[in-house]
């Protein structure tokens, strides 16, 4: 059976290979620490399930400090001239799109179809995390197809990918660290404390104050934690359920949906949501790392206002 | 009640305002909150190791990069631009609006993985938007290019965020249902998901309005940037 672990092994090997290339990159002023960062990250993918959690934790801190301490830098990468690229594109034309489309289409097929495929009684794909397994599988198929079609060498393709990885840098691990932080905050009981502070400090007997506290609380907490998922249990159990539903008789279904979607407006405005806001800036080679957030703020703020009005209206309908 | 763990939240807020490296901020905040809650360093490390191992899937998008590497060395982005320049009716405004609508609708059907920053924005959408802008207005400068790229990324995010919540089997919907169930309120996922539709419509109206404005001002922005640049000697 194909499980998430197989995909992690592939990712681990890929990262170690990237680290090896980075180690030899004389154009990178911080080649040793950059290579160490990707190499250690590769080890967490390869051996994460074998290393005892406490040592994994220490390893994660080392990786984090390499990233936070300015240990990452970009280097020099073998490039293909614009003219050569144009010529090759003229030759391959629309076929170039095929591997790029294989990734989403096969991920989808895997999620919908492969989930139910069995070979002599054994499931082909593990029942958990089918999307991630399918994405990994789709990437491998697309990579093999792309190499065969373009005749680019594996090493060169990974060099080009390394230029993107180095540009992404610390943003690659931020979502993982935030997930860890969410767990620690949970154990430390921060949700309860925060909810208590809010409920004692604000005049929540007015429904509109409670709506604002819940909505803006979701936005703020989503900005702090980088996603609305972590904010939702805290504010829903802390404010929405006891105050809005039980005191003011709000309809719980629209309350939850609009609370979450108001939180999403916060996600659009925070560098903590690295996957959505910071990684794309690196992927698109933007000069300003916050350019994506800037492009989103003027959608997020009016939408947030919209959500608050909708919430106040729909939950008391 | 122990209020000291709130120091962890405070550190994030300060780090935000002082623009410290977010990785450093997160490590400091976690250590502070943990110690304030009475966790030992060993417990903290264990918690960190377990959490990191469990969430490695969040970084699996890196596997798309070698595919992009091979294709981009062979002119994928150039091909995307050439293809779009032959489609004169696909202006910047229409391209982004259609992408937004398709991204929202496919996400609402649970097809979140059809798009994405690494999968579609970098190799396809952004080059097409740039190519389309060039067909309409001639060569574009670095400032306009950066703005167009950032807007392409933003459009993918907005489409994803305000589409996926309508899909009943989406994690967020199940999370809401689960938390309510724990607190004695039984709801069907469908009951929650349907309430995402008004916001989805609002998000489409607001963002497509901004796309229209961007498209309308694009010609002027291109001309202005080009006139600032020193002419040929």
């Amino acid at each position: 059976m194909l499980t998430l672990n197989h995909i992690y092994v592939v990712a681990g090997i890929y990262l170690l290979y990237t680290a090896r290339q980075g180690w030899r990159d004389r154009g990178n002023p911080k080649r040793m620490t950059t290579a160490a960062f990707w190499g250690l990250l590769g080890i967490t993918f390869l051996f994460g399930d074998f290393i005892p959690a406490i040592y994994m934790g220490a390893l994660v801190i080392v990786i984090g400090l390499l990233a936070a301490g300015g240990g990452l830098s970009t280097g020099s990468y073998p490039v293909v001239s614009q003219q050569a690229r144009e010529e090759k594109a003229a030759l391959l034309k629309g076929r170039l799109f095929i591997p790029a489309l294989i990734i989403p289409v096969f991920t989808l097929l895997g999620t919908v179809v492969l989930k139910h495929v069995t070979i002599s009684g054994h499931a082909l794909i593990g029942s958990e995390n089918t999307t991630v397994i399918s994405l990994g599988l789709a990437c491998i198929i697309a990579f093999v197809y792309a190499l065969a079609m373009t005749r680019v060498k594996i090493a060169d393709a990974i060099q080009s990918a390394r230029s993107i990885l180095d540009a992404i840098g610390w943003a690659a691990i931020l979502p993982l660290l935030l997930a860890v932080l969410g767990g620690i905050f949970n154990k430390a009981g921060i949700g309860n404390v925060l909810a208590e502070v809010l409920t004692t400090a604000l005049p929540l007997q007015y429904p509109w104050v409670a709506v604002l506290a819940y909505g803006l609380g979701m936005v703020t907490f989503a900005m702090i934690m980088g996603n609305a998922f972590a904010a939702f249990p805290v504010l829903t159990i802390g404010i929405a359920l006891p105050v809005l539903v039980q005191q003011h008789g709000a309809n719980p279904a629209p309350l939850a949906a609009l609370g979450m979607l108001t939180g999403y407006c916060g996600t659009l405005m925070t560098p903590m949501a690295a996957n959505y806001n910071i990684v794309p800036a690196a992927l698109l080679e933007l000069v300003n790392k916050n350019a994506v957030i800037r492009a989103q703020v003027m959608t997020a703020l009016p939408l947030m206002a919209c959500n608050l009005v909708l919430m106040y209206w729909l939950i008391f309908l | 009640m122990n209020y000291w763990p709130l120091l962890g939240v405070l550190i994030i807020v300060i780090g935000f305002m002082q623009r410290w490296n977010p990785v450093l901020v997160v490590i400091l905040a976690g250590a502070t909150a943990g110690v304030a809650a009475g966790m030992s360093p060993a417990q903290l490390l264990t918690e960190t190791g377990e959490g990191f191992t469990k969430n490695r899937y969040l970084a699996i998008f890196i596997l798309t990069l070698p595919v992009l590497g091979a294709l981009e060395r062979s002119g994928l982005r150039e091909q995307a631009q050439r293809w779009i320049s032959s489609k004169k009716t696909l202006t910047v405004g229409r391209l982004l609006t259609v992408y937004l609508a398709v991204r929202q609708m496919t996400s609402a059907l649970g097809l979140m993985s059809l798009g994405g920053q690494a999968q579609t924005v970098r190799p396809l959408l952004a080059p097409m938007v740039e190519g389309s802008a060039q067909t309409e207005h001639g060569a574009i400068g670095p400032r306009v290019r950066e703005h167009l790229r950032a807007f392409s990324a933003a459009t993918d995010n907005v489409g994803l965020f305000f589409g996926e919540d309508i899909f009943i089997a989406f994690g967020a919907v199940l999370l809401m249902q689960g938390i309510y169930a724990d607190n004695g309120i039984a709801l069907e996922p469908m009951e929650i998901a349907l309430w995402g539709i008004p916001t989805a419509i609002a998000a489409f109206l607001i963002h497509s309005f901004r796309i229209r404005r961007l498209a309308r001002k694009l010609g002027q922005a291109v001309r202005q940037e080009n006139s600032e640049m020193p002419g040929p000697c």
Side-chain angles (χ1 to χ4, degrees), chain A residues 62-303:
Chain A
V62 172
I63 294 172
L65 292 179
L66 277 171
L72 303 186
S73 180
T74 51
S76 56
Y77 313 92
V79 290
V80 180
S81 72
Q82 168 101 27
Q83 199 199 344
R85 290 202 307 263
E86 300 263 8
E87 280 168 11
K88 206 152 178 190
L91 201 68
L92 293 166
K93 297 207 184 78
R95 273 187 289 165
L96 273 171
F97 293 134
I98 297 174
L101 295 173
I102 282 180
I103 298 178
V105 171
F106 272 57
T107 308
L108 196 66
L109 280 178
T111 316
V112 179
V113 181
L114 282 188
K115 194 157 59 172
H116 306 294
V117 173
T118 53
I119 294 175
S120 59
H122 297 282
L124 185 63
I125 289 188
S127 57
E128 282 173 272
N129 300 305
T130 39
T131 312
V132 186
I133 300 173
S134 306
L135 173 65
L137 207 56
C139 287
I140 295 166
I141 296 168
F143 190 51
V144 172
Y145 185 83
L147 289 178
M149 182 186 66
T150 61
R151 310 208 172 274
V152 171
K153 290 200 202 96
I154 290 189
D156 289 337
I158 292 183
Q159 287 280 15
S160 289
R162 187 169 64 89
S163 74
I164 310 175
L165 267 184
D166 282 347
I168 294 173
W170 55 261
I173 59 162
L174 188 62
L176 284 89
L177 293 178
L178 278 165
V180 171
L181 182 69
I184 293 175
F185 272 16
N186 241 348
K187 286 224 162 132
I190 286 195
N192 303 336
V193 178
L194 212 62
E196 199 203 69
V197 170
L198 283 176
T199 40
T200 43
L202 298 171
L204 296 179
Q205 65 271 31
Y206 303 106
W208 65 271
V209 176
V211 165
L212 277 182
Y214 180 48
L216 297 181
M218 280 297 297
V219 170
T220 313
F221 218 74
M223 288 180 75
I224 288 177
M225 298 304 296
N227 67 78
F229 279 47
F232 186 78
V234 173
L235 285 140
T236 304
I237 297 170
I239 296 181
L241 277 174
V243 180
L244 280 164
V245 174
Q246 278 154 24
Q247 272 183 43
H248 299 298
N251 181 353
L255 182 65
L258 284 160
M260 185 67 97
L261 289 165
T262 311
Y264 281 13
C265 297
T267 312
L268 289 175
M269 300 189 286
T270 176
M272 289 293 177
N275 267 5
Y276 299 110
N277 300 337
I278 303 297
V279 169
L283 283 173
L284 297 171
E285 290 149 19
L286 303 183
V287 182
N288 182 348
K289 287 283 160 257
N290 289 318
V292 178
I293 297 176
R294 278 201 192 171
Q296 285 167 173
V297 167
M298 284 317 289
T299 297
L301 287 178
L303 191 57

Side-chain angles (χ1 to χ4, degrees), chain B residues 49-101:
Chain B
E50 276 173 7
F52 196 90
T53 307
K54 206 170 57 195
N55 287 290
R56 282 172 299 172
Y57 69 90
L58 287 170
I60 218 68
F61 74 92
I62 57 168
L63 284 179
T64 57
L65 301 181
V67 184
L68 291 189
L71 295 176
E72 289 182 0
R73 290 181 84 85
S74 312
L76 174 65
R77 288 203 260 187
E78 286 75 12
Q79 177 62 27
Q81 291 187 344
R82 204 169 31 185
W83 181 82
I84 202 75
S85 64
S86 68
K87 305 272 178 287
K88 299 262 187 281
T89 47
L90 269 179
T91 57
V92 171
R94 282 186 197 154
L95 190 59
L96 281 170
T97 311
V98 168
Y99 187 87
L100 176 67

Side-chain angles (χ1 to χ4, degrees), chain A residues 14-33:
Chain A
Y14 162 52
L15 283 171
L16 285 180
Y17 191 72
T18 296
R20 181 164 164 269
Q21 284 184 341
W23 184 265
R24 296 175 170 183
D25 182 354
R26 303 269 165 199
N28 185 340
K30 293 171 179 167
R31 68 192 177 95
M32 306 243 181
T33 41

Side-chain angles (χ1 to χ4, degrees), chain B residues 35-52:
Chain B
V35 169
M39 291 165 83
S40 70
Q43 270 177 305
L44 264 173
L45 283 180
T46 308
E47 185 78 16
T48 305
E50 276 173 7
F52 196 90

